[in-house]
Amino acid sequence: MPLSPLRRPPCPLRTALLTTLAAITVTATLLTAPPPAHAVASGHGTGSAAGAEQVPGMDVSRYQGTVDWQGAWDNGARWTYVKATEGTTFQSPTFPEQFRGAGDAGLIRGAYHFARPDLSGAAEQATHFVDHGGGWTADGRTLPPALDLEHNPYGQDACYGRGQSDMVSWIREFSDAVKARTGRAPALYTTSDWWTRCTGGDTSFGGTHPLWVARYATSPGTLPAGWSAHTFWQYADSGTFPGDQNWFNGSYDELKAFARG
């Protein structure tokens, strides 16, 4: 399968610069951040320490192959998302091993689906996702399913040929289908640019869906419309851990509470 822009092999020079800048400024940035949307909705993290802590994590796909999960844990990673599916037929051949290995090493882990709105209706893709790894259980060790929404890597139209209102309907259909099967609304992975361009800045998901924002910079920046804070932030495509580098916006106890629902 072609590699999407946010899943491309890392550029070492670019990665080193981003990682260094992020390490210098990320703590100061998150110390002043408001409570993440998941904390406000659940009651977790609404005290004075909300936003003052962050938990390092990672996300991986088949491009990382066999992952040294124990090494990631030893280096500080406490959670991960693993690509499970894409579109209506693709299943990551490394998902079962990666998901199991992450759990065995103690990481809180979840699965994500790479959206292909150009291929089918959303409910069909949601069914494919949940049937092949995108489930959830309230065990405190499983993150809610996540939907990866980003620029189309297979063509020039970033929005997969869908208009803004149509895209919003597609995302809503996917979310409703996943929630009906798992009991959790999916986290939405996206960039502010894609969200503005492809949904018209829709605000209807912010109060009900955790935001996993992607921005390779020294701060999460301006968030997509509808969210006052992020739950996860992907800030670099390589670094200390295998795969993409991320923060959870809260403490480790809040992360476990978030996983439990």
Side-chain angles (χ1 to χ4, degrees):
M1 306 289 287
L3 192 57
S4 63
L6 291 181
R7 297 291 182 268
R8 62 191 183 282
C11 167
L13 183 59
R14 174 176 173 273
T15 294
L17 176 60
L18 288 173
T19 302
T20 300
L21 290 173
I24 292 171
T25 62
V26 68
T27 301
T29 299
L30 292 179
L31 280 170
T32 59
H38 71 269
V40 174
S42 68
H44 299 128
T46 56
S48 60
E53 297 182 75
Q54 57 279 335
V55 182
M58 53 197 277
D59 63 274
V60 299
S61 68
R62 67 188 176 100
Y63 296 100
Q64 279 69 52
T66 300
V67 174
D68 178 6
W69 293 108
Q70 188 59 53
W73 173 273
D74 292 344
N75 284 327
R78 293 296 178 263
W79 63 274
T80 187
Y81 267 109
V82 181
K83 181 174 181 178
T85 53
E86 177 174 329
T88 56
T89 59
F90 177 77
Q91 302 172 45
S92 172
T94 58
F95 173 78
E97 178 185 357
Q98 289 175 340
F99 193 81
R100 182 175 57 253
D104 289 346
L107 279 76
I108 299 173
R109 69 279 191 268
Y112 77 85
H113 173 81
F114 189 91
R116 291 293 307 275
D118 55 325
L119 293 181
S120 74
E124 183 179 353
Q125 294 194 32
T127 297
H128 176 59
F129 177 42
V130 176
D131 285 349
H132 299 97
W136 174 78
T137 182
D139 57 6
R141 302 178 64 239
T142 308
L143 295 170
L147 176 63
D148 183 342
L149 297 159
E150 58 182 82
H151 287 68
N152 180 8
Y154 304 108
Q156 295 184 356
D157 182 356
C159 304
Y160 300 87
R162 290 184 179 263
Q164 293 173 342
S165 61
D166 190 29
M167 183 65 78
V168 170
S169 297
W170 194 96
I171 298 169
R172 179 68 62 191
E173 180 183 322
F174 185 96
S175 172
D176 288 348
V178 167
K179 187 173 182 180
R181 290 281 303 276
T182 69
R184 290 290 297 267
L188 300 182
Y189 169 99
T190 194
T191 66
S192 294
D193 175 75
W194 188 92
W195 193 258
T196 299
R197 182 183 303 189
C198 297
T199 75
D202 183 83
T203 62
S204 64
F205 294 91
T208 53
H209 292 68
L211 172 64
W212 182 6
V213 66
R215 184 171 188 255
Y216 291 4
T218 58
S219 76
T222 300
L223 299 179
W227 283 275
S228 61
H230 63 284
T231 298
F232 302 104
W233 168 28
Q234 183 191 88
Y235 65 88
D237 57 8
S238 67
T240 302
F241 312 121
D244 298 320
Q245 313 295 290
N246 294 264
W247 292 107
F248 170 78
N249 189 9
S251 69
Y252 186 49
D253 285 342
E254 288 171 329
L255 174 63
K256 291 186 288 186
F258 173 67
R260 286 193 299 271

